[in-house]
Every structure is written in structure tokens, then in C-alpha cells.
Amino acid sequence: RNLESIMGPPVFREEEANKKDAIGMVTALAWSEAGGATLSVEAVKTKGHGGIKATGQLGSVMKESIEAALSFVKTKSVELDIHEQIFKSYDVHVHLPAGAVPKDGPSAGLALATVIASILSDREVRSNVAMTGEITLTGNVLSIGGLKEKAIAAHRAGIKNVIIPKANEIDIREMPDDVKKDVNFVPVEHVKDALIMCLKERTPEMMKKKD
């Protein structure tokens, strides 16, 4: 009870997931030498000419993942009900907060594709889902490392559903019992499977706005 008076204020704050379904907000899972962490991925679209901007002290691999994610969404525009003109009339800005922290690696690809699909289709992302997975241009989801640490971070943040690559399904058995009990792991082989789970249908207000 008196730990704080002895040691001082907590150095690390307890992580929390997004509490509200929202357009352009996705929770990704990251790994570092210090362990797993949740990572907010945000995106907006602004009037423009089809450009893309990435901020948040991102490495070259992550920037390439953003470009790959946008290209995939373009190929699935019909299925996602995104009008072709959207890509010509708007720019996409992807941002990962905590700009003082360098971020790199391909495992955010699935989250990046989801957040871009969300803003371009005007569909909210379910807040109780986090994800990790590298993607290809055709939408295949590739295996990643550090799943145990990432899953623990998701559990610590109160996330109930975690989307993972199908190839990492075998790693679930290594999870602590409390994580396996509280977290629903959803293995996927393709981005479209994640989008079906994550993206909500457009509300009447959004449909009217789009029209």
C-alpha cells in the first residue's frame, strides 16, 4: 500500500485499449526488447490527389508496409464499397502516436490495411480487437515473432480478441493460462478475414455522407 511513497510515482502507466468503436483507429501489437506493447494506429483522409503521408518516427520497413497496405485496399475497392474516385480525390495520412519512440518492422501490416480500409470506406473499427501480422500485396497474412509477449500486452490492456496469422496458431499453446482463458485468438490467412471481423457496417449517417 505504501509502495508509491517509498519508490515514487509509477514509471510506466497501465496500457488501455481503445474504448470506443471509431473510424481510422486500430490497435496493433508490437514487440521490443522490453516485451510486448499495444500500439495505436490512426489514419485520416483529407482532400487531395491520392497521396500518402506517414508520421510517428517510422522506419523504412513500416513505411513500405503502409504503401503495401494502401495498394491492397485499392485492389479490393469494389468489395469494400470504396468508389474509385476516392483514391483520386483524397490523400491518406497514417500516424502512429508516441512520436519520440522509433517504430519499424512488418508486423503492423494487418493493422495498417485495416485502418486504411476503415477511413476510405467510412466504416468503424471494433475497439475490442487488436491484431498483428505481416501482409503481402495480394493480402496474404504472414507469420510474425514475439506473439507471446504481444498477447500478454493485449491481455494487460483488456483486449478480448486478438487477430493473429494462421501460421502462428501453434504459438497459442505457449501463452500463460490466464491469457488463453481471457483472450479469443482469431487466426487468419488473408486480410479480408480480418476486415470481416473488424469493420462494422456503415451507419445511415455515413451512407448519407458518402452519397
Side-chain angles (χ1 to χ4, degrees):
R1 294 178 181 176
N2 62 350
L3 182 62
E4 186 170 339
S5 64
I6 298 172
M7 301 295 293
V11 177
F12 300 101
R13 295 182 179 180
E14 194 69 20
E15 300 165 4
E16 291 186 355
N18 296 331
K19 296 297 184 181
K20 185 177 180 181
D21 300 344
I23 294 174
M25 293 187 65
V26 175
T27 300
L29 298 174
W31 180 92
S32 70
E33 294 181 357
T38 57
L39 184 65
S40 295
V41 180
E42 301 177 355
V44 295
K45 66 177 187 289
T46 58
K47 290 289 185 179
H49 303 89
I52 184 167
K53 181 179 181 180
T55 54
Q57 198 176 164
L58 311 181
S60 58
V61 175
M62 187 167 287
K63 290 179 180 178
E64 291 176 353
S65 294
I66 292 173
E67 294 177 1
L70 178 59
S71 294
F72 168 76
V73 172
K74 286 181 177 179
T75 66
K76 299 299 179 182
S77 59
V78 175
E79 297 175 37
L80 292 168
D81 192 25
I82 302 173
H83 196 280
E84 183 180 352
Q85 188 61 37
I86 292 289
F87 298 103
K88 301 176 182 179
S89 303
Y90 289 90
D91 292 340
V92 173
H93 184 174
V94 178
H95 179 67
L96 281 74
V101 180
K103 310 170 190 70
D104 204 5
S107 65
L110 189 57
L112 293 167
T114 301
V115 78
I116 291 174
S118 169
I119 61 168
L120 295 179
S121 65
D122 290 321
R123 294 170 65 183
E124 294 180 340
V125 180
R126 301 183 191 281
S127 61
N128 63 347
V129 180
M131 62 193 73
T132 180
E134 180 179 355
I135 66 169
T136 68
L137 278 176
T138 56
N140 293 323
V141 180
L142 307 182
S143 63
I144 48 84
L147 182 60
K148 178 180 178 181
E149 292 80 6
K150 293 176 180 179
I152 292 173
H155 181 254
R156 187 170 62 240
I159 295 169
K160 297 301 183 182
N161 301 285
V162 174
I163 299 176
I164 65 172
K166 179 73 173 178
N168 286 103
E169 188 172 15
I170 192 173
D171 297 331
I172 296 176
R173 63 186 182 185
E174 299 179 4
M175 304 297 168
D177 290 339
D178 57 338
V179 174
K180 288 189 288 188
K181 177 182 177 181
D182 296 338
V183 176
N184 174 39
F185 291 95
V186 184
V188 299
E189 294 181 290
H190 198 275
V191 176
K192 64 181 181 182
D193 299 321
L195 297 182
I196 290 172
M197 177 179 181
C198 293
L199 295 183
K200 299 174 66 175
E201 292 301 318
R202 283 185 290 128
T203 63
E205 291 78 11
M206 282 297 156
M207 293 178 69
K208 183 177 181 180
K209 180 180 177 181
K210 180 178 179 181
D211 296 338

